[in-house]
Amino acid sequence: MTIIDGKQLSETIKLEIAQEVAAIKAAGGKIPHLAAVLVGENPASQAYVGSKVRSCEQVGFQSTLVKRDASISEQELLSIVDELNQDPSVDGFIVQLPLPGHIDENKVILAIDPRKDVDGFHPVNFGRMAQGMPSFVSATPYGILQMLERYNIPTDGKHCVVVGRSNIVGTPISILLSRKAKVGNCTVTLTHSRTKDLPAETRRADILIAAIGIPEFVKGDWVKEGVVVIDVGINRIEDPASKKGYRLVGDVDFEQVAPKSSYITPVPGGVGLMTVTSLLMNTLKAAKKEIYP
Ligand code: GUN
């Protein structure tokens, strides 16, 4: 069993990005600039955005954090999006989700200029991704592809079972892995809350991707020997023994599943760190105008 070390892999990729940034700087070019919009006080969102801003500093990017109270109106938020769309100094930006209930997330996503949509959430990027055209691929699926590629895990002809059909992870990764591509050519089963006999489906997986947001949901007897497990879940569970009062666990019961796996991602230290790194990769692509020349 090999643990896919998201921390080490993300450090390697960040070093590669930092070297490119240093070269751009040395040549007198413009330093890539990522902006993040954070609305409200959701602790997980604050932690994610904090990590994104810190990672920008690590690789030498410029970063801007736009922080607003949860009471912001939809119109005000749309104005901020428009300003970022127009600002030539900003190469890419994200609006951290979820947004407060009175704001229509789809409206906000649609307002983002696809050329600056480094989250890959805009339907133009999603559609381009689905058709195999150059696009910003959303950070978590992109991070998963990087993990499979850099650990040389074969995907060709494998049966991949994805648990969870979210717009951000389950649906895009199922499309990406089924596509004719270097990391792809899987036969994909996309499962969800209405799937009948889920353990029977997951037991057929050569590659299992768990992205449902339920702590330790996938059990040991749900997988076959030798499975490759990508655990996307980051769930807080109460833990009085911890200083913070909680600890992080994935969507997979690691203790039960790891002994049967050929490869597995841990939580924390797995997919989560790769997600932030993928966002940096997309921002570099935006700055270099690789997707939209
Ligand atoms: N909320 C949870 N994951 C993400 C993400 O990747 N991007 C944004 N903008 N919001 C999120």
Side-chain angles (χ1 to χ4, degrees), residues 39-70:
V39 178
E41 308 287 330
N42 179 322
S45 291
Q46 285 176 327
Y48 294 145
V49 170
S51 159
K52 288 168 187 179
V53 170
R54 274 194 308 281
S55 298
C56 281
E57 284 163 13
Q58 277 180 357
V59 299
F61 283 4
Q62 190 183 344
S63 66
T64 299
L65 174 58
V66 182
K67 210 166 173 294
R68 290 292 183 272
D69 199 82

PDB file of all heavy atoms in Angstrom, residues 39-70:
ATOM      1  N   VAL A  39     -16.949  35.951   1.393  1.00  0.00           N
ATOM      2  CA  VAL A  39     -18.140  36.584   1.960  1.00  0.00           C
ATOM      3  C   VAL A  39     -18.540  35.841   3.234  1.00  0.00           C
ATOM      4  O   VAL A  39     -18.711  34.623   3.215  1.00  0.00           O
ATOM      5  CB  VAL A  39     -19.313  36.566   0.946  1.00  0.00           C
ATOM      6  CG1 VAL A  39     -20.556  37.191   1.560  1.00  0.00           C
ATOM      7  CG2 VAL A  39     -18.933  37.301  -0.330  1.00  0.00           C
ATOM      8  N   GLY A  40     -18.663  36.588   4.340  1.00  0.00           N
ATOM      9  CA  GLY A  40     -19.144  35.989   5.589  1.00  0.00           C
ATOM     10  C   GLY A  40     -18.049  35.354   6.408  1.00  0.00           C
ATOM     11  O   GLY A  40     -16.853  35.546   6.147  1.00  0.00           O
ATOM     12  N   GLU A  41     -18.469  34.585   7.404  1.00  0.00           N
ATOM     13  CA  GLU A  41     -17.544  34.100   8.441  1.00  0.00           C
ATOM     14  C   GLU A  41     -17.461  32.577   8.505  1.00  0.00           C
ATOM     15  O   GLU A  41     -17.053  32.027   9.522  1.00  0.00           O
ATOM     16  CB  GLU A  41     -18.003  34.614   9.825  1.00  0.00           C
ATOM     17  CG  GLU A  41     -18.230  36.112   9.916  1.00  0.00           C
ATOM     18  CD  GLU A  41     -16.928  36.903   9.919  1.00  0.00           C
ATOM     19  OE1 GLU A  41     -15.919  36.357  10.420  1.00  0.00           O
ATOM     20  OE2 GLU A  41     -16.912  38.032   9.411  1.00  0.00           O
ATOM     21  N   ASN A  42     -17.872  31.878   7.445  1.00  0.00           N
ATOM     22  CA  ASN A  42     -17.807  30.414   7.454  1.00  0.00           C
ATOM     23  C   ASN A  42     -16.360  29.965   7.759  1.00  0.00           C
ATOM     24  O   ASN A  42     -15.438  30.287   7.011  1.00  0.00           O
ATOM     25  CB  ASN A  42     -18.273  29.910   6.074  1.00  0.00           C
ATOM     26  CG  ASN A  42     -18.222  28.400   5.932  1.00  0.00           C
ATOM     27  OD1 ASN A  42     -17.307  27.747   6.432  1.00  0.00           O
ATOM     28  ND2 ASN A  42     -19.209  27.844   5.269  1.00  0.00           N
ATOM     29  N   PRO A  43     -16.156  29.229   8.880  1.00  0.00           N
ATOM     30  CA  PRO A  43     -14.785  28.901   9.288  1.00  0.00           C
ATOM     31  C   PRO A  43     -14.014  28.083   8.245  1.00  0.00           C
ATOM     32  O   PRO A  43     -12.828  28.326   8.014  1.00  0.00           O
ATOM     33  CB  PRO A  43     -14.959  28.083  10.575  1.00  0.00           C
ATOM     34  CG  PRO A  43     -16.384  28.199  10.968  1.00  0.00           C
ATOM     35  CD  PRO A  43     -17.172  28.693   9.801  1.00  0.00           C
ATOM     36  N   ALA A  44     -14.691  27.133   7.599  1.00  0.00           N
ATOM     37  CA  ALA A  44     -13.999  26.325   6.588  1.00  0.00           C
ATOM     38  C   ALA A  44     -13.593  27.211   5.416  1.00  0.00           C
ATOM     39  O   ALA A  44     -12.453  27.125   4.930  1.00  0.00           O
ATOM     40  CB  ALA A  44     -14.892  25.183   6.116  1.00  0.00           C
ATOM     41  N   SER A  45     -14.490  28.097   4.977  1.00  0.00           N
ATOM     42  CA  SER A  45     -14.168  28.999   3.860  1.00  0.00           C
ATOM     43  C   SER A  45     -13.009  29.911   4.230  1.00  0.00           C
ATOM     44  O   SER A  45     -12.113  30.153   3.412  1.00  0.00           O
ATOM     45  CB  SER A  45     -15.381  29.858   3.488  1.00  0.00           C
ATOM     46  OG  SER A  45     -16.378  29.059   2.906  1.00  0.00           O
ATOM     47  N   GLN A  46     -13.011  30.412   5.462  1.00  0.00           N
ATOM     48  CA  GLN A  46     -11.915  31.288   5.909  1.00  0.00           C
ATOM     49  C   GLN A  46     -10.585  30.531   5.850  1.00  0.00           C
ATOM     50  O   GLN A  46      -9.574  31.064   5.405  1.00  0.00           O
ATOM     51  CB  GLN A  46     -12.175  31.779   7.336  1.00  0.00           C
ATOM     52  CG  GLN A  46     -13.246  32.853   7.397  1.00  0.00           C
ATOM     53  CD  GLN A  46     -13.567  33.260   8.837  1.00  0.00           C
ATOM     54  OE1 GLN A  46     -13.496  32.444   9.749  1.00  0.00           O
ATOM     55  NE2 GLN A  46     -13.931  34.507   9.025  1.00  0.00           N
ATOM     56  N   ALA A  47     -10.626  29.269   6.304  1.00  0.00           N
ATOM     57  CA  ALA A  47      -9.402  28.457   6.306  1.00  0.00           C
ATOM     58  C   ALA A  47      -8.916  28.216   4.877  1.00  0.00           C
ATOM     59  O   ALA A  47      -7.724  28.354   4.584  1.00  0.00           O
ATOM     60  CB  ALA A  47      -9.657  27.130   7.013  1.00  0.00           C
ATOM     61  N   TYR A  48      -9.851  27.869   3.955  1.00  0.00           N
ATOM     62  CA  TYR A  48      -9.454  27.586   2.570  1.00  0.00           C
ATOM     63  C   TYR A  48      -8.869  28.826   1.911  1.00  0.00           C
ATOM     64  O   TYR A  48      -7.833  28.765   1.256  1.00  0.00           O
ATOM     65  CB  TYR A  48     -10.652  27.095   1.738  1.00  0.00           C
ATOM     66  CG  TYR A  48     -11.208  25.762   2.170  1.00  0.00           C
ATOM     67  CD1 TYR A  48     -12.574  25.500   2.087  1.00  0.00           C
ATOM     68  CD2 TYR A  48     -10.378  24.743   2.640  1.00  0.00           C
ATOM     69  CE1 TYR A  48     -13.104  24.280   2.490  1.00  0.00           C
ATOM     70  CE2 TYR A  48     -10.901  23.531   3.038  1.00  0.00           C
ATOM     71  CZ  TYR A  48     -12.264  23.302   2.964  1.00  0.00           C
ATOM     72  OH  TYR A  48     -12.782  22.102   3.352  1.00  0.00           O
ATOM     73  N   VAL A  49      -9.549  29.965   2.084  1.00  0.00           N
ATOM     74  CA  VAL A  49      -9.078  31.190   1.430  1.00  0.00           C
ATOM     75  C   VAL A  49      -7.735  31.610   2.028  1.00  0.00           C
ATOM     76  O   VAL A  49      -6.824  32.019   1.298  1.00  0.00           O
ATOM     77  CB  VAL A  49     -10.143  32.315   1.536  1.00  0.00           C
ATOM     78  CG1 VAL A  49      -9.571  33.649   1.077  1.00  0.00           C
ATOM     79  CG2 VAL A  49     -11.356  31.956   0.695  1.00  0.00           C
ATOM     80  N   GLY A  50      -7.581  31.455   3.347  1.00  0.00           N
ATOM     81  CA  GLY A  50      -6.300  31.758   3.992  1.00  0.00           C
ATOM     82  C   GLY A  50      -5.186  30.928   3.380  1.00  0.00           C
ATOM     83  O   GLY A  50      -4.100  31.434   3.072  1.00  0.00           O
ATOM     84  N   SER A  51      -5.466  29.652   3.172  1.00  0.00           N
ATOM     85  CA  SER A  51      -4.473  28.754   2.598  1.00  0.00           C
ATOM     86  C   SER A  51      -4.149  29.152   1.149  1.00  0.00           C
ATOM     87  O   SER A  51      -2.993  29.076   0.712  1.00  0.00           O
ATOM     88  CB  SER A  51      -5.021  27.339   2.695  1.00  0.00           C
ATOM     89  OG  SER A  51      -4.398  26.497   1.801  1.00  0.00           O
ATOM     90  N   LYS A  52      -5.151  29.603   0.407  1.00  0.00           N
ATOM     91  CA  LYS A  52      -4.925  30.026  -0.986  1.00  0.00           C
ATOM     92  C   LYS A  52      -4.019  31.258  -1.027  1.00  0.00           C
ATOM     93  O   LYS A  52      -3.085  31.326  -1.826  1.00  0.00           O
ATOM     94  CB  LYS A  52      -6.279  30.310  -1.667  1.00  0.00           C
ATOM     95  CG  LYS A  52      -7.077  29.047  -1.958  1.00  0.00           C
ATOM     96  CD  LYS A  52      -8.519  29.298  -2.365  1.00  0.00           C
ATOM     97  CE  LYS A  52      -9.282  27.977  -2.470  1.00  0.00           C
ATOM     98  NZ  LYS A  52     -10.704  28.120  -2.835  1.00  0.00           N
ATOM     99  N   VAL A  53      -4.279  32.211  -0.135  1.00  0.00           N
ATOM    100  CA  VAL A  53      -3.480  33.448  -0.110  1.00  0.00           C
ATOM    101  C   VAL A  53      -2.034  33.142   0.314  1.00  0.00           C
ATOM    102  O   VAL A  53      -1.080  33.622  -0.303  1.00  0.00           O
ATOM    103  CB  VAL A  53      -4.140  34.492   0.829  1.00  0.00           C
ATOM    104  CG1 VAL A  53      -3.217  35.676   1.073  1.00  0.00           C
ATOM    105  CG2 VAL A  53      -5.471  34.961   0.245  1.00  0.00           C
ATOM    106  N   ARG A  54      -1.870  32.288   1.348  1.00  0.00           N
ATOM    107  CA  ARG A  54      -0.523  31.913   1.801  1.00  0.00           C
ATOM    108  C   ARG A  54       0.256  31.201   0.693  1.00  0.00           C
ATOM    109  O   ARG A  54       1.448  31.427   0.497  1.00  0.00           O
ATOM    110  CB  ARG A  54      -0.600  30.996   3.024  1.00  0.00           C
ATOM    111  CG  ARG A  54      -0.701  31.731   4.354  1.00  0.00           C
ATOM    112  CD  ARG A  54      -0.425  30.797   5.514  1.00  0.00           C
ATOM    113  NE  ARG A  54      -1.226  29.571   5.487  1.00  0.00           N
ATOM    114  CZ  ARG A  54      -2.499  29.488   5.881  1.00  0.00           C
ATOM    115  NH1 ARG A  54      -3.107  30.550   6.347  1.00  0.00           N
ATOM    116  NH2 ARG A  54      -3.165  28.352   5.816  1.00  0.00           N
ATOM    117  N   SER A  55      -0.439  30.346  -0.049  1.00  0.00           N
ATOM    118  CA  SER A  55       0.226  29.609  -1.134  1.00  0.00           C
ATOM    119  C   SER A  55       0.694  30.559  -2.228  1.00  0.00           C
ATOM    120  O   SER A  55       1.743  30.331  -2.833  1.00  0.00           O
ATOM    121  CB  SER A  55      -0.717  28.568  -1.733  1.00  0.00           C
ATOM    122  OG  SER A  55      -1.068  27.643  -0.747  1.00  0.00           O
ATOM    123  N   CYS A  56      -0.089  31.614  -2.486  1.00  0.00           N
ATOM    124  CA  CYS A  56       0.329  32.628  -3.474  1.00  0.00           C
ATOM    125  C   CYS A  56       1.648  33.234  -3.045  1.00  0.00           C
ATOM    126  O   CYS A  56       2.569  33.404  -3.855  1.00  0.00           O
ATOM    127  CB  CYS A  56      -0.712  33.743  -3.585  1.00  0.00           C
ATOM    128  SG  CYS A  56      -2.135  33.300  -4.573  1.00  0.00           S
ATOM    129  N   GLU A  57       1.750  33.572  -1.766  1.00  0.00           N
ATOM    130  CA  GLU A  57       2.994  34.170  -1.258  1.00  0.00           C
ATOM    131  C   GLU A  57       4.162  33.206  -1.459  1.00  0.00           C
ATOM    132  O   GLU A  57       5.242  33.605  -1.886  1.00  0.00           O
ATOM    133  CB  GLU A  57       2.845  34.512   0.227  1.00  0.00           C
ATOM    134  CG  GLU A  57       2.006  35.755   0.455  1.00  0.00           C
ATOM    135  CD  GLU A  57       1.500  35.865   1.891  1.00  0.00           C
ATOM    136  OE1 GLU A  57       1.985  35.129   2.769  1.00  0.00           O
ATOM    137  OE2 GLU A  57       0.590  36.691   2.102  1.00  0.00           O
ATOM    138  N   GLN A  58       3.915  31.913  -1.160  1.00  0.00           N
ATOM    139  CA  GLN A  58       4.980  30.906  -1.278  1.00  0.00           C
ATOM    140  C   GLN A  58       5.591  30.844  -2.675  1.00  0.00           C
ATOM    141  O   GLN A  58       6.781  30.630  -2.815  1.00  0.00           O
ATOM    142  CB  GLN A  58       4.438  29.519  -0.953  1.00  0.00           C
ATOM    143  CG  GLN A  58       4.398  29.215   0.530  1.00  0.00           C
ATOM    144  CD  GLN A  58       3.852  27.812   0.769  1.00  0.00           C
ATOM    145  OE1 GLN A  58       3.457  27.114  -0.164  1.00  0.00           O
ATOM    146  NE2 GLN A  58       3.831  27.400   2.011  1.00  0.00           N
ATOM    147  N   VAL A  59       4.752  30.999  -3.699  1.00  0.00           N
ATOM    148  CA  VAL A  59       5.277  30.849  -5.065  1.00  0.00           C
ATOM    149  C   VAL A  59       5.626  32.187  -5.699  1.00  0.00           C
ATOM    150  O   VAL A  59       6.085  32.229  -6.835  1.00  0.00           O
ATOM    151  CB  VAL A  59       4.294  30.077  -5.988  1.00  0.00           C
ATOM    152  CG1 VAL A  59       4.063  28.678  -5.456  1.00  0.00           C
ATOM    153  CG2 VAL A  59       2.976  30.819  -6.149  1.00  0.00           C
ATOM    154  N   GLY A  60       5.419  33.276  -4.975  1.00  0.00           N
ATOM    155  CA  GLY A  60       5.797  34.597  -5.491  1.00  0.00           C
ATOM    156  C   GLY A  60       4.717  35.306  -6.282  1.00  0.00           C
ATOM    157  O   GLY A  60       4.988  36.284  -6.968  1.00  0.00           O
ATOM    158  N   PHE A  61       3.468  34.790  -6.214  1.00  0.00           N
ATOM    159  CA  PHE A  61       2.351  35.480  -6.874  1.00  0.00           C
ATOM    160  C   PHE A  61       1.962  36.708  -6.066  1.00  0.00           C
ATOM    161  O   PHE A  61       2.159  36.756  -4.850  1.00  0.00           O
ATOM    162  CB  PHE A  61       1.095  34.587  -6.912  1.00  0.00           C
ATOM    163  CG  PHE A  61       1.077  33.490  -7.925  1.00  0.00           C
ATOM    164  CD1 PHE A  61       2.174  33.227  -8.733  1.00  0.00           C
ATOM    165  CD2 PHE A  61      -0.064  32.698  -8.064  1.00  0.00           C
ATOM    166  CE1 PHE A  61       2.136  32.185  -9.655  1.00  0.00           C
ATOM    167  CE2 PHE A  61      -0.108  31.663  -8.981  1.00  0.00           C
ATOM    168  CZ  PHE A  61       0.988  31.404  -9.777  1.00  0.00           C
ATOM    169  N   GLN A  62       1.324  37.645  -6.755  1.00  0.00           N
ATOM    170  CA  GLN A  62       0.620  38.713  -6.052  1.00  0.00           C
ATOM    171  C   GLN A  62      -0.763  38.158  -5.686  1.00  0.00           C
ATOM    172  O   GLN A  62      -1.338  37.361  -6.437  1.00  0.00           O
ATOM    173  CB  GLN A  62       0.476  39.911  -6.993  1.00  0.00           C
ATOM    174  CG  GLN A  62      -0.029  41.165  -6.317  1.00  0.00           C
ATOM    175  CD  GLN A  62      -0.222  42.312  -7.309  1.00  0.00           C
ATOM    176  OE1 GLN A  62       0.293  42.272  -8.435  1.00  0.00           O
ATOM    177  NE2 GLN A  62      -0.982  43.301  -6.897  1.00  0.00           N
ATOM    178  N   SER A  63      -1.284  38.540  -4.516  1.00  0.00           N
ATOM    179  CA  SER A  63      -2.640  38.091  -4.172  1.00  0.00           C
ATOM    180  C   SER A  63      -3.418  39.230  -3.538  1.00  0.00           C
ATOM    181  O   SER A  63      -2.829  40.115  -2.924  1.00  0.00           O
ATOM    182  CB  SER A  63      -2.594  36.900  -3.214  1.00  0.00           C
ATOM    183  OG  SER A  63      -2.058  37.294  -1.980  1.00  0.00           O
ATOM    184  N   THR A  64      -4.727  39.199  -3.746  1.00  0.00           N
ATOM    185  CA  THR A  64      -5.608  40.196  -3.152  1.00  0.00           C
ATOM    186  C   THR A  64      -6.777  39.465  -2.521  1.00  0.00           C
ATOM    187  O   THR A  64      -7.375  38.593  -3.161  1.00  0.00           O
ATOM    188  CB  THR A  64      -6.146  41.159  -4.246  1.00  0.00           C
ATOM    189  OG1 THR A  64      -5.037  41.813  -4.850  1.00  0.00           O
ATOM    190  CG2 THR A  64      -7.085  42.202  -3.639  1.00  0.00           C
ATOM    191  N   LEU A  65      -7.057  39.800  -1.274  1.00  0.00           N
ATOM    192  CA  LEU A  65      -8.223  39.217  -0.609  1.00  0.00           C
ATOM    193  C   LEU A  65      -9.298  40.297  -0.483  1.00  0.00           C
ATOM    194  O   LEU A  65      -9.062  41.356   0.100  1.00  0.00           O
ATOM    195  CB  LEU A  65      -7.826  38.688   0.779  1.00  0.00           C
ATOM    196  CG  LEU A  65      -8.965  38.172   1.658  1.00  0.00           C
ATOM    197  CD1 LEU A  65      -9.721  37.038   0.972  1.00  0.00           C
ATOM    198  CD2 LEU A  65      -8.425  37.684   3.003  1.00  0.00           C
ATOM    199  N   VAL A  66     -10.465  40.025  -1.061  1.00  0.00           N
ATOM    200  CA  VAL A  66     -11.595  40.942  -0.946  1.00  0.00           C
ATOM    201  C   VAL A  66     -12.565  40.305   0.042  1.00  0.00           C
ATOM    202  O   VAL A  66     -13.169  39.267  -0.250  1.00  0.00           O
ATOM    203  CB  VAL A  66     -12.286  41.162  -2.318  1.00  0.00           C
ATOM    204  CG1 VAL A  66     -13.425  42.161  -2.196  1.00  0.00           C
ATOM    205  CG2 VAL A  66     -11.280  41.609  -3.366  1.00  0.00           C
ATOM    206  N   LYS A  67     -12.681  40.915   1.228  1.00  0.00           N
ATOM    207  CA  LYS A  67     -13.472  40.317   2.297  1.00  0.00           C
ATOM    208  C   LYS A  67     -14.708  41.177   2.526  1.00  0.00           C
ATOM    209  O   LYS A  67     -14.599  42.391   2.654  1.00  0.00           O
ATOM    210  CB  LYS A  67     -12.606  40.299   3.563  1.00  0.00           C
ATOM    211  CG  LYS A  67     -12.886  39.179   4.512  1.00  0.00           C
ATOM    212  CD  LYS A  67     -11.742  39.063   5.530  1.00  0.00           C
ATOM    213  CE  LYS A  67     -12.063  38.072   6.611  1.00  0.00           C
ATOM    214  NZ  LYS A  67     -13.162  38.440   7.477  1.00  0.00           N
ATOM    215  N   ARG A  68     -15.872  40.541   2.545  1.00  0.00           N
ATOM    216  CA  ARG A  68     -17.104  41.293   2.755  1.00  0.00           C
ATOM    217  C   ARG A  68     -17.989  40.583   3.778  1.00  0.00           C
ATOM    218  O   ARG A  68     -17.937  39.366   3.915  1.00  0.00           O
ATOM    219  CB  ARG A  68     -17.888  41.440   1.437  1.00  0.00           C
ATOM    220  CG  ARG A  68     -17.235  42.372   0.429  1.00  0.00           C
ATOM    221  CD  ARG A  68     -17.248  43.819   0.888  1.00  0.00           C
ATOM    222  NE  ARG A  68     -16.692  44.705  -0.119  1.00  0.00           N
ATOM    223  CZ  ARG A  68     -15.394  44.999  -0.228  1.00  0.00           C
ATOM    224  NH1 ARG A  68     -14.523  44.478   0.614  1.00  0.00           N
ATOM    225  NH2 ARG A  68     -14.971  45.823  -1.166  1.00  0.00           N
ATOM    226  N   ASP A  69     -18.823  41.389   4.431  1.00  0.00           N
ATOM    227  CA  ASP A  69     -19.761  40.878   5.425  1.00  0.00           C
ATOM    228  C   ASP A  69     -20.836  40.013   4.747  1.00  0.00           C
ATOM    229  O   ASP A  69     -21.160  40.230   3.579  1.00  0.00           O
ATOM    230  CB  ASP A  69     -20.412  42.087   6.100  1.00  0.00           C
ATOM    231  CG  ASP A  69     -21.018  41.711   7.415  1.00  0.00           C
ATOM    232  OD1 ASP A  69     -20.262  41.640   8.399  1.00  0.00           O
ATOM    233  OD2 ASP A  69     -22.249  41.456   7.436  1.00  0.00           O
ATOM    234  N   ALA A  70     -21.383  39.057   5.508  1.00  0.00           N
ATOM    235  CA  ALA A  70     -22.428  38.171   4.965  1.00  0.00           C
ATOM    236  C   ALA A  70     -23.666  38.946   4.523  1.00  0.00           C
ATOM    237  O   ALA A  70     -24.495  38.426   3.762  1.00  0.00           O
ATOM    238  CB  ALA A  70     -22.809  37.123   6.005  1.00  0.00           C
TER     239      ALA A  70
END
